[in-house]
Amino acid sequence: MTKKIAVLPGDGIGTEIVAEAVKVLDAIGEKHNVSFEYEYGLIGGAAIDEVGVPLPDKTLELCKNSDAVLLGAVGGPKWDDLPVHLRPEGAALLGLRKNLGLYANIRPAKIYPALVDGSTLKKNVIEGVDLVCIRELTGGLYFGERKREKTETGERAYDTMVYTTEEIERIARLGFETAMKRNKRLTSVDKHNVLESSRLWRDVVNEVAKDYPEVELEHMYVDNCAMQLVRWPKQFDVIVTENMFGDILTDQASMLSGSIGMLPSASVGGEVALYEPAHGSAPDIAGQQKANPLATILSVAMMLKYSFNLQSAAEEIEIAVEKVLNGEYRTADLMEEGKKEATTSQIGDLVVEQL
Ligand code: IPM
Ligand code: MG
């Protein structure tokens, strides 16, 4: 079996973390008789510098003609002051998600036993945490109408949160399907007490729930959810929520897995899925081999599972990561007393060794 992967390293630490994920893919491919063919594409600031736009047509074509997409990260201070249509985050990342029809972002947060003591949260709170957040990715506040205009006294600006029945239904369904494969508990997060779009959200989720009588459904306000995630995160199995709420809650949930450098993600819903760490390009540590590559490595495990149906290969990567964390080496974000600091590429090598 041969699989073609579009590789988009992007900016900042993107190049370094993607290199480690590719190493791991090569190793697992050899073990499972799959050969991965990589074609590299430009995205984000790197693309602006080379060809003047953050999401070149060529990159989009490459993604559409591949079996899966692996992305590092985009953005950095160098491109922060560009006009909106050139900003790496909006134009490149959001453009790519929208163009590929990736309406669902799956972000699992689970704590590895070896990281329990290193967390900023108490051991009894995070021990055993294992949840998945399903974030709507192509609608809501990120894609609604927006404007900034001059007024007599200054300026006014607005963004709008828009959802249709269809958009809510398909993401809700994925939430229920995911819950069915896990512990059959789904928390739908909204702001039903204030927002009209949340009232539609809740109605549609309740409709879809009729098709999944085995799933225990709970509705939760987003502010309460933010609080519950740090108070008692073990109550959650699957969370489904709007784009912006999901963006915020998943950064918060990442700390339940020890570090934002541990949170992988899969964006699905179109013909080709996209795999990327949930974190950004970390320009402050770029090029220094300090970044944690594990979120990206765990993202390729998700690729094997969701795009190629290679369950056991995916699990082998997860086990290899766990073994590395049980050992003595860590990247800076996970440092604890008694551990030795390792570079990005050393961690990648250690994962490969464990395979
Ligand atoms: C994420 C990121 C992106 C988002 C940014 C870089 C546009 O924060 O994937 O969570 O907000 O979706
Ligand atoms: Mg985010």
Side-chain angles (χ1 to χ4, degrees):
M1 182 160 78
T2 301
K3 295 290 178 194
K4 186 174 163 190
I5 300 176
V7 184
L8 316 177
D11 309 316
I13 58 172
T15 323
E16 296 158 78
I17 53 178
V18 159
E20 302 316 308
V22 167
K23 253 187 215 169
V24 170
L25 268 177
D26 280 336
I28 198 83
E30 205 168 302
K31 253 184 107 178
H32 288 259
N33 254 316
V34 191
S35 76
F36 296 108
E37 240 173 55
Y38 310 103
E39 200 174 326
Y40 285 76
L42 289 168
I43 194 163
I48 295 176
D49 290 351
E50 283 282 322
V51 296
V53 289
L55 181 59
D57 290 341
K58 202 172 152 203
T59 299
L60 211 45
E61 276 314 296
L62 166 66
C63 294
K64 286 182 177 160
N65 293 318
S66 300
D67 296 308
V69 182
L70 172 63
L71 180 101
V74 296
K78 184 174 172 194
W79 308 281
D80 272 353
D81 297 322
L82 289 174
V84 180
H85 70 283
L86 287 176
R87 288 283 307 268
E89 293 88 343
L93 192 52
L94 304 188
L96 188 62
R97 290 169 178 170
K98 192 76 173 176
N99 264 290
L100 297 178
L102 306 173
Y103 65 82
N105 183 228
I106 307 169
R107 294 185 170 179
K110 93 175 182 198
I111 181 82
Y112 285 89
L115 298 182
V116 166
D117 289 319
S119 174
T120 51
L121 296 160
K122 284 197 184 121
K123 184 173 176 163
N124 73 320
V125 172
I126 57 166
E127 221 166 23
V129 163
D130 182 357
L131 62 89
V132 178
C133 187
I134 312 267
R135 165 187 175 194
E136 202 290 326
L137 205 59
T138 51
L141 206 46
Y142 273 51
F143 290 94
E145 194 196 319
R146 74 191 62 197
K147 199 170 182 182
R148 180 167 167 173
E149 60 198 9
K150 299 246 180 291
T151 62
E152 271 167 31
T153 48
E155 283 187 275
R156 91 189 256 279
Y158 61 83
D159 298 272
T160 48
M161 193 188 284
V162 187
Y163 273 107
T164 64
T165 310
E166 294 73 20
E167 284 174 311
I168 302 167
E169 191 187 324
R170 64 187 182 181
I171 194 77
R173 218 163 266 290
L174 182 64
F176 283 102
E177 292 288 339
T178 309
M180 282 300 286
K181 291 187 200 129
R182 294 176 43 103
N183 295 321
K184 302 196 173 139
R185 288 187 292 112
L186 179 67
T187 307
S188 171
V189 175
D190 61 36
K191 190 72 187 174
H192 179 268
N193 48 351
V194 177
L195 302 177
E196 204 53 50
S197 55
S198 282
R199 289 191 267 271
L200 177 62
W201 180 279
R202 198 176 279 206
D203 287 348
V204 176
V205 171
N206 281 332
E207 255 327 286
V208 177
K210 293 179 184 158
D211 295 338
Y212 300 89
E214 282 174 60
V215 175
E216 191 189 313
L217 169 69
E218 176 191 25
H219 297 284
M220 194 178 273
Y221 295 142
V222 62
D223 48 348
N224 184 24
C225 182
M227 186 267 277
Q228 297 295 343
L229 272 173
V230 285
R231 191 191 70 88
W232 197 243
K234 275 177 260 196
Q235 67 186 285
F236 296 107
D237 179 21
V238 181
I239 294 174
V240 65
T241 192
E242 185 273 333
N243 201 347
M244 178 85 178
F245 297 164
D247 179 46
I248 298 168
L249 294 176
T250 54
D251 260 36
Q252 192 174 336
S254 76
M255 285 316 290
L256 305 171
S257 61
S259 152
I260 182 118
M262 292 300 300
L263 199 72
S265 94
S267 301
V268 303
E271 268 164 43
V272 189
L274 166 76
Y275 300 86
E276 55 169 321
H279 60 71
S281 58
D284 54 322
I285 55 164
Q288 300 171 34
Q289 281 288 309
K290 280 189 179 162
N292 182 352
L294 293 177
T296 321
I297 290 171
L298 291 168
S299 297
V300 302
M302 293 185 84
M303 178 191 289
L304 298 176
K305 205 183 294 180
Y306 292 104
S307 285
F308 307 144
N309 207 11
L310 293 166
Q311 299 292 338
S312 59
E315 275 156 33
E316 282 168 37
I317 294 180
E318 285 162 10
I319 291 167
V321 167
E322 172 142 29
K323 285 189 184 151
V324 171
L325 291 171
N326 289 340
E328 59 182 333
Y329 293 100
R330 298 270 175 88
T331 41
D333 57 318
L334 298 174
M335 273 319 270
E336 268 180 78
E337 228 181 274
K339 300 289 175 185
K340 294 195 184 117
E341 190 165 334
T343 63
T344 308
S345 101
Q346 281 168 334
I347 295 292
D349 290 342
L350 287 170
V351 174
V352 167
E353 234 168 72
Q354 291 298 339
L355 289 169

